Structure formats: structure tokens, C-alpha cells
């Protein structure tokens, strides 16, 4: 600290000591600070502002002095510290001094305040406002102004404090508990710097530690940091304490001998009031040291007189002492007699205690025996009641009357038997004590009940086995009597059979708890019977659909052909025209009402976009299926038959499996669900009508509950041996109609994903996965064969007498590819429509069976089916696109190699094939991205081939010499002027007129011959029209250019016929 700081601290300490001059408190240290008030944002100001008033801000910062004092403790020789709050008096304010205190060492304030006088140096007087014991300090918080509360920071900024001052100052928040008449004090003070704040906090902690008081809650600084700061600044800060503060804070040296007036003497641990009292006491005695001998003699005389009086008093008390001693001896004798009496009484009491303890032990033993006897009697009565079996119950179980309409009494008796066996087995809270289960009588009762249960289970198993066999036989006979095609290919109605089987559900449930092994045996037997019935019904339906599909293929002339080889020509002969090539193929599928397809008279009649058939495909599919089921037509398309088989029988088979899984308790956790037995209050209305309200357990399973291992085995046995009937139908596509492999695969994948979420239909999902694998294998073999056929194609094997490609028009692999693409896309559209129609026309009884089996709601099922169909469509679409991407580049490459082998007919071959390919795939390319890029390549090559073909025809025509002369004139005009052209070799006007006469003579016949040549090459279809229009435009363009050249070079030699006349001659030809 600098000298100014020392001087200011000394002046403040002197002013504070003057304030406590008349009290027993001793000043330790004093600190100047500023109190931060709430200004105009206090609660009262805010309330006033909310009511519409105006709040006037007070002075936000007020100067205060924080003072530490100590006083002597009345209980020990230590000191008790106190914290005082004082403030300077403003000009015009005053206070009265009091010479008394409050009795506790603190100055008592008259009129509420105590003040010190002005020191004459301009320093204002101090006024003591509040005093608290230092141990009442509960909270002490240090923070910088930037981290202070919002109100405090606003008050600081309102005073105009600079940023540098705010960084140096520290905010000290204190909270003191109420003490006597002083209320609780809580305020924030702004200290000059961090050094002063650390000094204040460290000094408060040291004073509290010396008087063994509880330390306050400190925030903003840790206790370790305070201790470290005090240790490092101890010598520095002692200079700011009062003259004896070091001894108070660090005791060890007792300093005495300082008078109140001598400020330079050693410190004395007493207050100013104590020093004044001591001085006054010493001044009240006047010793008179000159008469010491007389004073000593007087003292000796008084001492001798006191000694004599003491001896006389002692001698005069002898008789009294003897009387007292006699009384003491008599009292001693009485006490001895009393001690003997007490010993005798204690002996008797000990014997009485022993007798009482023996009586109490005997009484406790008798009470315990009584309680045990009562409990044993009650338990034996309960045991005797549980061991016995009612004769009516025994009769009902020994010879049960097992008939469908009288099953309730037998099942109820069986549940009673199960409850009795469970009670005797022990282990549960409401069953027999496990310790009693080892009794011989209990074991004998258990054996009797087991024998009774075995006899009942045997009778029940026999009844159910016979009933199932009878029902399955009746169902087979009913199926054999069906003669119409609808009944043969549609799933049978199971409502009656299921109704009968549901009536034996209570019997199956009680068998599951009486003898689980018997139920497992019954599950296998029922699975075998159900499997035989399902296989017979499926075989009949699959056979009828296979015959219908074969009849359809035979009626269209394509049964067993399998001629989708891209390089195979029907009949092995070459076509003579491009128009005849597609007519050799008959449409394999129905393309709607028009009946058009690759076998139509022209490519332009093909449907532009087979995917547009989806709007009418559903209606056409339903009409074909209805006609087949009614017997009006003998055949049904293969993909329709496949969709009808899967869409009709897969939901039926899944519903059957789910029904019997629920009936035969094949789900995991059914044993626990049956443990508590039936609850009549949970029975539904149908069970109450059938009299099964008290014998049927209502089972509630979570969605997707899995099957047990035995249940999985039973479900597999129930659905075993069905794959062959599905494979027999899918083999037709592998042998005779390979493009249907993908629609069949899409339908199989969709149904596989629909059934994957049903635990009871897991065998069907595995069957469909196997079928999908076989269909994928067949499709892969077909694709590999097509690719190999294109790579191995040799045009010479298709030509006669090695004549090049003159007689080849549309190549086989081009026409076959277009046919395959159209058949495939139409098959995909019609297959999806057929599958959707079959799913929408599901019989009502199958929906009821699905609900019985515990399927999800209708909306969830529809969303599941839509998602499955979408996934299957994406998978099949990817397979078809992969085939297109693999075949199209090879087709175009092979076509280019064949056209390049013949310079004369190469452009014609390119034009025909690229034109055929572009027209055939135009509509599909707009919808299928996989075909669009290949179609664009074919279109670009078609335009190039058309330009080349037109150039070839113009060069071959008899008008070529005149056109060639025009080219010669173009060359001459590059080197000579137009008037000089007539002087060049073979360019005289006479020669030009002779060339025009010889070339243009019979122009109409020459144009007709040119049109016939183009028609011979391209036929009379749309391609001919396109090519002839291109030839006409090219010829007219060059002819008009020739006319211009002649006008420039031979002004007197007009061109005859003129371009307008030539255009009229073109219109007069047969081609127009």
C-alpha cells in the first residue's frame, strides 16, 4: 500500500475508534464501501409504475463503513466478534452521543442512531446504523460488477462509473440473520478493489475461526483461495488493523501496561471503557505511605483479637459437639438395621422373580401350543377337504359324455380337476404348503387324480381325433361333388367346419393344462388330416388352372413353341419384304379391344404405350377370368391362372394355418395364458349362446406372437407338399412363354412379403421364396440364351446362294426383340391388374378367417399389401431393365456389323431395322428410362441411315448425270467467273442442252421407276413414305440449285422441265 492509502486507513480507524470510545467493543478493522440500492426498479416502484404512477430514482450508491469489533466474552477469556454498519452524516445532520451501551458491548443508539464528532479535517461524522454478531453472518458472495445481478449492474452504470473502475471494483453481498431487535440484513456493497474484498472476507473467516463459530456460505471465491491469500498477505494487511488486532487474530502475546492516553505504548487487550474504569478505581485510594508503622501495629492488634475470639468460640462449643456425636451414633445403628432388612427383602424379591419367570415361560409355551394346535386343525380340515373328490366329478370324468352339444359339463369337471391338482402340487401362494406335499396321503391323492386325468384325456383325444377325421372326410366328399369350374378353382367355404372345430376349443384348452404331451400328439394328427384335405383341394384347383392355361396356349397356336430366341425365324424361311416380317408372328397376349400387336399388319398399329393399358387391364382381366370360371371359354392366360391360384389359395392357406394355430394353441405363451383357467365374465356373446361362457379361456395375444417349436413343426406339417402344384403351373412359362416369368415372379414376391409378417404362414413364405428362386433361375437362363443368340448370329445361315443381305429386311433379332419387349411390358401390366383384381375379390369367409386368426385391421392389411406389391414391382422392373441394358447395345452392334458387310444394301438394311426398332419402341421409350437412351441412339442412327439411303438412290437414278453436272458447275465457280464457265471443257451451251435433253427425256417414267425401287426396298408402309419424301425433297433441292447455276452461267439456256414442273411430275407418280 502507498502512503496515501495508509493515511486514509489510519484516519478511518481513528474515526471509528472515537465512535466506540464509550463501549466495551474493541475496533479491529474498518472498510469504506458503497451500498448498492434497488433504485427505481424496486418492488414498490414497479407496483407504482404498473398502476400508472411515476417513480423517481433515488441515489443508487450510498457510502457506508463496515466495521469489525470484538469484546470480552462473559463465559471464557476469549473475545466475541461483531459486524457493524455505519454511514457518514451529511451536512446538516446530527446525532446525540450516549455514554451507555446496550448491555451487550455494542453502543446503544439514542433516537435510533449513534454518531461520532467531526474530526475537524473535513471528514464527516459517522452514524452507527446496525450491529450484528459476526456468527450471524450466513452468506458472503464476491463478484465483479459484470457478473452482478441485473439491478445492481444497472445501478452501477446509472452512477456513470467508468469501465476501468468497474473492472477494479468488487461487489460484496452479505446476508445476516436477525438478532434480537435487529431484523435480517441483506445488501450488496461495492468495495474499491479486489484486494480490499479479499481482506474483508479473509478477516471475517479468521475471526469466526478463532471463536469456533460456523463459517458462512461463501460464493465467488473458494475457501482455499482465501486461506492462501491470508497466508501470503498476512504481514501486509496487519498494518491496516488496529493496535491490538494482531493479538486478537493471532493470539500468543498478552500485552499490558498501555494507558488510554499513551497511544505510543504497547497494546493492551482492554476496551477504552475498561481502561477508564480502572483509572478511576486507582484514583479513589490514597495510601498514606508516611504512617506505615502505625498501620502495621494496628493490623497486628486486630489479628490478635480475632485469634482470641476464635479460640473462645471453639472452647464454648464442646457440649454441643458431644450431643451431635450421640445423635450420629444412634443414626448409624438405625441405618445398620435398615440395611439388614433391605438384604432380606432383596433375597425374597429374587426368589419371586424366578417364580414369576417360570410361570410366564410356562404360560407362553401353553399359548404357543394352543396356536399351533389351532393352525394344525385348520390345515388338516383344509387338507381333508382338498384330498377328497366329489363323486359327481369322478363320474363326469370317468365316463364323460363327449358330444358337441354337451361338452360344457365335462370341460367344467376337467377344469375343477386341474384346479385340485394344482392346489395339491403346491408352489403357489394359494396352494398347499410345499412341506405337506411330501405326505403319503397327499401323494396318494395326487396319484388318484393323475389316473383320473389320464382316463379323461384318453377319451377326449379319441373324441377329437374321430371328429376331425369325420369332418375332413365330409369336406373331401363335398369337394369331389363339385362339377362347375368356379367351385374347382375357388377356395372352399370353411365356415361350417370352423364352426364345429370352435365348439371343441374348450376341450382342447383343458387338455393343454391336463396333459400337454397329449395335446402335442393331437396337434400332429390334426395337422396330417388338414394337410391331406388342403393338398387335395389345391391339386384340383391347380390342375384345372393348368388345363385352362394349356388350352389358351394351344388355341393361340403357341403351346410348347418357346420361340423367343432372338435369332430364330418362324418356318426357317426369309421374308421378302419388311412388311411381311412382322406378320409372321402372332400376338401372344391380348392387347386390349383392338387385338393389335407385333403380329399386326404394320408397326404403326402397335399400342404406343402398353402401360396405358393399366386403366382397362383390370376390367379385361376380370372379364377373362369370369368367362373362364363360367365355362364360356376353355382357356385362361397363364399369368391370369397364376394370379388366380396364388391370390385365391395363398390367403386361404394362410387363414387355415392361422385358424388351426389358434385352435390348437400353437403360439408361444399359451400355457401361461391358460394357467388361471376360464373367466365367465370375459366370454363373448357367441360363447355365451353356445353355453361355453364358464369353460372357455379368452386368449389375448400380442400382434406378431411367434409359434412354439412344436407349433412350427405342426404348421410345417399342415402346409407340407404344396410346392409341386404351384411348380406345375410355373413350368408352363419356362417352356412355352418365357416373358411371363417376370409377371409370375412379381406376383410370387408380392405374396411372399405379405405372408412374411404372419407367423403361421411361415411355411408358405418359404414355399414362395423357393418358387421365386426357380423363376429367377428360369429368367436368368432365358436372358443368357438371348444374349448368346445375338452374339452367335450369322446372317449367312439365313441367306440363299450367299447373296449378302440383299434379301434380308428386318433382321430376326430386331423383330423378335421388339415383340419380346411389347409382350413383356403388356404381361407385367396385365399381371399386376390380375393380381389386384384377385386380391380385391377375396371371398368373405377368408376375410373372416383372417380376423379369427388375429390379423391386423383392414386398413393395415391394405397398406401392407400395397407395400408388398410395390416392392415386387420394383424388383421385377429392375430385372427387365437389366435385360434391356444388356441386349440393346449388342443388338445395335450386331446390326452395324451386318450392314457394314454389304456396301450396296447396307444403308437400306440400317434404315429398315433402325426404323422398325424406333417405331416399335417409341411409346415404351417415353415411359421406360432404361429403353429411352437406346431408343435415342437408334433414332439418331436411323436419321443417318436415311440420309445415306437417299444419297444412294439419287446416285442410282437416271437423273444423276444432270445432278452431277450441277456439282461440276459448283466446282468451276470456285476458280472461274460465271461467264467463263461456258468456255470450259464439256461445258458449252450446246453440250448442256444435249445433256438436259438426254437426261430429262421421259422424266415421269424415271420418277416412277425411282419410286418403284424405293417401294421394292422398303415396301409400301410408313417407312416408304418417309424415305420417298426425303428423296423428293433432296432431288428438288438439288434441281432448284441447278436452275440457279444455269441462270448464272447460261442465261440463255433455261432448265427444262422447271422445278415447278418437276414437282408436278412428282405428284403425278403413284407414290405422290
Amino acid at each position: 500500500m502507498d502512503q496515501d492509502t495508509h493515511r486514509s486507513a489510519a484516519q478511518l480507524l481513528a474515526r471509528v475508534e472515537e465512535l466506540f470510545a464509550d463501549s466495551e467493543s474493541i475496533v479491529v478493522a474498518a472498510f469504506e464501501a458503497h451500498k448498492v440500492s434497488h433504485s427505481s426498479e424496486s418492488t414498490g416502484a414497479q407496483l407504482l409504475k404498473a398502476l400508472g404512477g411515476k417513480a423517481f430514482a433515488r441515489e443508487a450508491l450510498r457510502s457506508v463503513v463496515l466495521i469489525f469489533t470484538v469484546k470480552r466474552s462473559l463465559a471464557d477469556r476469549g473475545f466475541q466478534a461483531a459486524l457493524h454498519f455505519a454511514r457518514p452524516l451529511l451536512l446538516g445532520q446530527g446525532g446525540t452521543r450516549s455514554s451507555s451501551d446496550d448491555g451487550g458491548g455494542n453502543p446503544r443508539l439514542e433516537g435510533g442512531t449513534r454518531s461520532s464528532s467531526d474530526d475537524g479535517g473535513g471528514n464527516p461524522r459517522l452514524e452507527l446504523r446496525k450491529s450484528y454478531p459476526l456468527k450471524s453472518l450466513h452468506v458472503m458472495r464476491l463478484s465483479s460488477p459484470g457478473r452482478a445481478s441485473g439491478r445492481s449492474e444497472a445501478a452501477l452504470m446509472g452512477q456513470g462509473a467508468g469501465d476501468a473502475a468497474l473492472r477494479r471494483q468488487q461487489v460484496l453481498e452479505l446476508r445476516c440473520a436477525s438478532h434480537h431487535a435487529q431484523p435480517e440484513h441483506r445488501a450488496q456493497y461495492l468495495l474499491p478493489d479486489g484486494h480490499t474484498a479479499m481482506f474483508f472476507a479473509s478477516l471475517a473467516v479468521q475471526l469466526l475461526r478463532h471463536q469456533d463459530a460456523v463459517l458462512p456460505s461463501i460464493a465467488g471465491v473458494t475457501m482455499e483461495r482465501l486461506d492462501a491469500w491470508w497466508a501470503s498477505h498476512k504481514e501486509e494487511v496487519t498494518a491496516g488493523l488496529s493496535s491490538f488486532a494482531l493479538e486478537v487474530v493471532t493470539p500468543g502475546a498478552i500485552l499490558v501496561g498501555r494507558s488510554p492516553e499513551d497511544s505510543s505504548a504497547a497494546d493492551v487487550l482492554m476496551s477504552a471503557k475498561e481502561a477508564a474504569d480502572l483509572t478511576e478505581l486507582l484514583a479513589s485510594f490514597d495510601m498514606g505511605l508516611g504512617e506505615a508503622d502505625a498501620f502495621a501495629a494496628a493490623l497486628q492488634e486486630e489479628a490478635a483479637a480475632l485469634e482470641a475470639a476464635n479460640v473462645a468460640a471453639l472452647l464454648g462449643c464442646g457440649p454441643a459437639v458431644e450431643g451431635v456425636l450421640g445423635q450420629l451414633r444412634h443414626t448409624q445403628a438405625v441405618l445398620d438395621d435398615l440395611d439388614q432388612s433391605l438384604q432380606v427383602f432383596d433375597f425374597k424379591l429374587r426368589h419371586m422373580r424366578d417364580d414369576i419367570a417360570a410361570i410366564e415361560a410356562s404360560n407362553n409355551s401353553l399359548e404357543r401350543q394352543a396356536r399351533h394346535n389351532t393352525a394344525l386343525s385348520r390345515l388338516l380340515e383344509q387338507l381333508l377337504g382338498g384330498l377328497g373328490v366329489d363323486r359327481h366329478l369322478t363320474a363326469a370324468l370317468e365316463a364323460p359324455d363327449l358330444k358337441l352339444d354337451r361338452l360344457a359339463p365335462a370341460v367344467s369337471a376337467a377344469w375343477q380337476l386341474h384346479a385340485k391338482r394344482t392346489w395339491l402340487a403346491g408352489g403357489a401362494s394359494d396352494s398347499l404348503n410345499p412341506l405337506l406335499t411330501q405326505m403319503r396321503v397327499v401323494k396318494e391323492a395326487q396319484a388318484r387324480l393323475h389316473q383320473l386325468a389320464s382316463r379323461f384325456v384318453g377319451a377326449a383325444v379319441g373324441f377329437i381325433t374321430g371328429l376331425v377325421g369325420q369332418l375332413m372326410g365330409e369336406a373331401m366328399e363335398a369337394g369331389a361333388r363339385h362339377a362347375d369350374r368356379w367351385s374347382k378353382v375357388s377356395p372352399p367355404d370353411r365356415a361350417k367346419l370352423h364352426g364345429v372345430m370352435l365348439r371343441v376349443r374348450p376341450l382342447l384348452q383343458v387338455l393343454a393344462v391336463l396333459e400337454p404331451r397329449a395335446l402335442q400328439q393331437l396337434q400332429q394328427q390334426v395337422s396330417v388330416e388338414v394337410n391331406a384335405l388342403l393338398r387335395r383341394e389345391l391339386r384340383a384347383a391347380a390342375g384345372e388352372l393348368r388345363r385352362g392355361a394349356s388350352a389358351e396356349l394351344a388355341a393361340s397356336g403357341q403351346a410348347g413353341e418357346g420361340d423367343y430366341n432372338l435369332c430364330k425365324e418362324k418356318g426357317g424361311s426369309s421374308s421378302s419384304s419388311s412388311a411381311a416380317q412382322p406378320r409372321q408372328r402372332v400376338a401372344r397376349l391380348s392387347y386390349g379391344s383392338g387385338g393389335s400387336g407385333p403380329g399386326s399388319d404394320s408397326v404403326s398399329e402397335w399400342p404406343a404405350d402398353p402401360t396405358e393399358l393399366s386403366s382397362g387391364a383390370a376390367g379385361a382381366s376380370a372379364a377373362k377370368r369370369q368367362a373362364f370360371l363360367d365355362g364360356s371359354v376353355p382357356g385362361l392366360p397363364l399369368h391370369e391362372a397364376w394370379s388366380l391360384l396364388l391370390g385365391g389359395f395363398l390367403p386361404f392357406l394362410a387363414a387355415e394355418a392361422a385358424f388351426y394355430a389358434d385352435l390348437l394353441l400353437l403360439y408361444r405363451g399359451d400355457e401361461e395364458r391358460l394357467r388361471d383357467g376360464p373367466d365367465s365374465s370375459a366370454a363373448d356373446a357367441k360363447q355365451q349362446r353356445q353355453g361355453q361362457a364358464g369353460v372357455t379361456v379368452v386368449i389375448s395375444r400380442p400382434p406378431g406372437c411367434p409359434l412354439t417349436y412344436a407349433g412350427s413343426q405342426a404348421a410345417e406339417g399342415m402346409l407340407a407338399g404344396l410346392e409341386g402344384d404351384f411348380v406345375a403351373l410355373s413350368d408352363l412359362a419356362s417352356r412355352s412363354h418365357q416373358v411371363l416369368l417376370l409377371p409370375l415372379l412379381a406376383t410370387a414376391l408380392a405374396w411372399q412379403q405379405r405372408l412374411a409378417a404372419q407367423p403361421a404362414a411361415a411355411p408358405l413364405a418359404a414355399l414362395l421364396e423357393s418358387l421365386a428362386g426357380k423363376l429367377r433361375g428360369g429368367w436368368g437362363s432365358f436372358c443368357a440364351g438371348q444374349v448368346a443368340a445375338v452374339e452367335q448370329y450369322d446372317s449367312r445361315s439365313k441367306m440363299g446362294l450367299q447373296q449378302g443381305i440383299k434379301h434380308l429386311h428386318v433382321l430376326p433379332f430386331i423383330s423378335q426383340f421388339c415383340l419380346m419387349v411389347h409382350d413383356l411390358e403388356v404381361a407385367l401390366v396385365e399381371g399386376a391388374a390380375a393380381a389386384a383384381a384377385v386380391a380385391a375379390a377375396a371371398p368373405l369367409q377368408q376375410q373372416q378367417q383372417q380376423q379369427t386368426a388375429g390379423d391386423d385391421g383392414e386398413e393395415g392389411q391394405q397398406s401392407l399389401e400395397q407395400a408388398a406389391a410395390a416392392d415386387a414391382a420394383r424388383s421385377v422392373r429392375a430385372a427387365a431393365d437389366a435385360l434391356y441394358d444388356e441386349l440393346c447395345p449388342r443388338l445395335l452392334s450386331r446390326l452395324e456389323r451386318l450392314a457394314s458387310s454389304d456396301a450396296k444394301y447396307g444403308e437400306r438394311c440400317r434404315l429398315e431395322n433402325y426404323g422398325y426398332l424406333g417405331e416399335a419402341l417409341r411409346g415404351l421409350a417415353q415411359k421406360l428410362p432404361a429403353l429411352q437412351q437406346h431408343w435415342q441412339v437408334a433414332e439418331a442412327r436411323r436419321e443417318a441411315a436415311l440420309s445415306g439411303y437417299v444419297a444412294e438412290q439419287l446416285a442410282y437414278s437416271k437423273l444423276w448425270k444432270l445432278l452431277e453436272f450441277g456439282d461440276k458447275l459448283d466446282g468451276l465457280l470456285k476458280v472461274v467467273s460465271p461467264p467463263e464457265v461456258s468456255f470450259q471443257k464439256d461445258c458449252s451451251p450446246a453440250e448442256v442442252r444435249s445433256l438436259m435433253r438426254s437426261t430429262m427425256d421421259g422424266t415421269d417414267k424415271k420418277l416412277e421407276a425411282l419410286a418403284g425401287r424405293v417401294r421394292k426396298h422398303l415396301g409400301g408402309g410408313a417407312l416408304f413414305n418417309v424415305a420417298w419424301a426425303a428423296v423428293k425433297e433432296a432431288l428438288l433441292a438439288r434441281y432448284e440449285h441447278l436452275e440457279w447455276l444455269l441462270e448464272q452461267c447460261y442465261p440463255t439456256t433455261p432448265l427444262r422441265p422447271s422445278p415447278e414442273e418437276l414437282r408436278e411430275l412428282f405428284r403425278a407418280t403413284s407414290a405422290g
Side-chain angles (χ1 to χ4, degrees), residues 941-958:
R941 293 184 181 181
R942 184 185 71 86
E943 294 296 332
L946 179 61
S947 300
Y949 179 75
V950 170
E952 286 182 355
Q953 299 310 310
L954 291 179
Y956 186 80
S957 66
K958 295 181 180 181

Side-chain angles (χ1 to χ4, degrees), residues 126-160:
L126 297 178
E127 180 185 18
L128 188 62
R129 302 295 294 175
K130 295 181 181 180
S131 299
Y132 294 90
L134 188 58
K135 63 183 179 180
S136 66
L137 180 60
H138 284 183
V139 176
M140 182 167 55
R141 184 188 307 273
L142 290 177
S143 62
S144 61
R147 293 192 302 269
S149 64
R151 294 182 300 178
S152 301
E153 185 174 357
L156 293 175
M157 298 305 296
Q159 290 297 313

Side-chain angles (χ1 to χ4, degrees), residues 554-783:
S556 60
Q558 300 182 18
E561 286 184 359
D563 56 354
Y564 269 103
N565 188 344
L566 294 184
C567 300
K568 179 180 179 181
E569 288 186 293
K570 186 156 179 92
S573 61
S574 300
S575 60
S576 59
S577 66
S578 61
Q581 176 70 17
R583 280 199 297 268
Q584 291 180 356
R585 300 298 305 272
V586 180
R588 291 179 175 269
L589 299 175
S590 59
Y591 282 77
S593 60
S596 61
S600 301
D601 293 338
S602 64
V603 177
S604 61
E605 297 180 8
W606 293 11
D609 182 8
T611 58
E612 296 177 356
L613 297 172
S614 58
S615 59
S621 175
K624 296 174 191 176
R625 185 172 60 256
Q626 188 63 37
F628 172 74
L629 295 177
D630 293 342
S632 58
V633 294
L636 184 68
L638 181 56
H639 57 285
E640 294 276 356
W642 179 260
S643 299
L644 188 59
L645 180 62
L646 267 63
F649 269 87
L650 285 180
F652 169 73
L653 295 174
E656 285 292 292
F659 172 78
Y660 285 103
D662 174 68
L663 180 68
L664 299 176
L665 304 173
L666 302 181
Y667 290 97
R668 190 177 302 172
D670 285 348
E671 296 82 359
E672 289 76 8
R673 300 182 185 99
L674 294 173
R675 182 177 300 169
D676 296 333
D679 184 7
S680 58
S681 61
D684 55 13
K686 183 176 180 181
Q687 294 173 351
Q688 292 177 359
R689 289 195 304 269
Q690 296 177 354
Q692 300 177 0
V695 296
T696 303
V697 178
V698 179
I699 299 178
S700 178
R701 303 184 184 93
C705 182
L707 302 179
T708 62
Y709 176 76
S712 300
Q713 297 294 325
E716 290 178 2
M718 197 181 308
L719 300 174
L722 305 179
E723 184 176 2
D725 298 320
F726 292 99
V727 172
L729 194 59
S730 63
D731 285 345
L732 291 177
S734 301
R735 293 195 299 266
S736 61
H737 208 315
Q738 295 87 348
V739 296
L740 284 181
L741 289 172
L742 280 186
L744 267 60
L745 177 61
T747 306
L749 290 177
W751 278 110
Q752 178 190 358
Q753 296 182 14
R754 293 178 190 176
L755 299 177
Q758 303 180 22
L764 291 178
L767 183 149
L768 290 173
E769 184 178 2
S770 176
L771 286 176
K774 292 181 179 180
L775 292 173
R776 287 193 187 97
W779 178 254
S781 300
F782 172 68
C783 295

Side-chain angles (χ1 to χ4, degrees), residues 383-582:
L383 181 60
L384 290 176
L387 293 178
V389 181
D390 185 69
R391 58 186 183 86
H392 299 289
L393 178 63
T394 304
L397 295 175
E398 288 285 355
D401 186 12
L402 297 179
K403 295 182 180 180
L404 287 177
D405 54 350
R406 290 196 294 271
L407 285 178
V411 174
S412 178
W415 278 114
Q416 296 179 25
L417 176 63
H418 168 67
K420 190 174 291 293
R421 292 179 62 186
T422 304
W423 183 79
L424 288 178
S429 59
D430 54 350
S431 62
L432 189 62
N433 194 323
L435 299 177
L436 299 179
T437 57
Q438 305 300 323
M439 297 177 62
R440 180 176 58 84
V441 63
V442 175
K443 293 183 178 180
E444 291 177 354
Q446 291 176 350
R448 289 195 302 271
L449 295 178
H450 180 69
Q451 294 175 2
L452 186 59
S454 298
R455 289 191 291 271
F456 176 78
V457 167
V461 169
F463 167 74
I464 295 176
T465 303
L467 179 63
V468 171
Q470 178 185 353
L471 293 175
M472 298 304 165
E474 294 177 355
M476 290 182 183
E477 292 178 0
R481 289 193 298 267
H482 294 155
D484 57 320
R485 186 176 293 168
W486 179 278
S487 301
K488 290 182 180 180
V489 301
S490 300
D493 186 6
R494 285 285 194 269
K496 181 179 179 181
L497 189 146
H498 287 179
V500 176
M501 294 301 298
L502 288 174
R503 297 177 67 179
V504 300
R505 182 200 294 268
L507 190 57
L508 291 170
Q509 291 178 348
V510 76
L511 287 180
V513 298
L514 288 178
E515 188 61 45
R517 289 179 298 178
L519 180 63
Q520 294 179 4
Q521 179 183 1
L522 188 60
Q523 290 170 355
Q524 297 299 328
Q525 294 177 359
V526 174
S527 299
V528 172
E529 295 288 343
V530 173
N531 176 256
L533 177 61
L534 295 178
R535 290 179 62 183
R536 182 168 181 174
E537 293 170 345
L538 179 62
R539 187 176 298 111
E544 187 67 25
L545 291 173
R546 188 172 185 275
R547 287 189 293 270
S550 300
E552 177 71 15
L553 294 177
S556 60
Q558 300 182 18
E561 286 184 359
D563 56 354
Y564 269 103
N565 188 344
L566 294 184
C567 300
K568 179 180 179 181
E569 288 186 293
K570 186 156 179 92
S573 61
S574 300
S575 60
S576 59
S577 66
S578 61
Q581 176 70 17

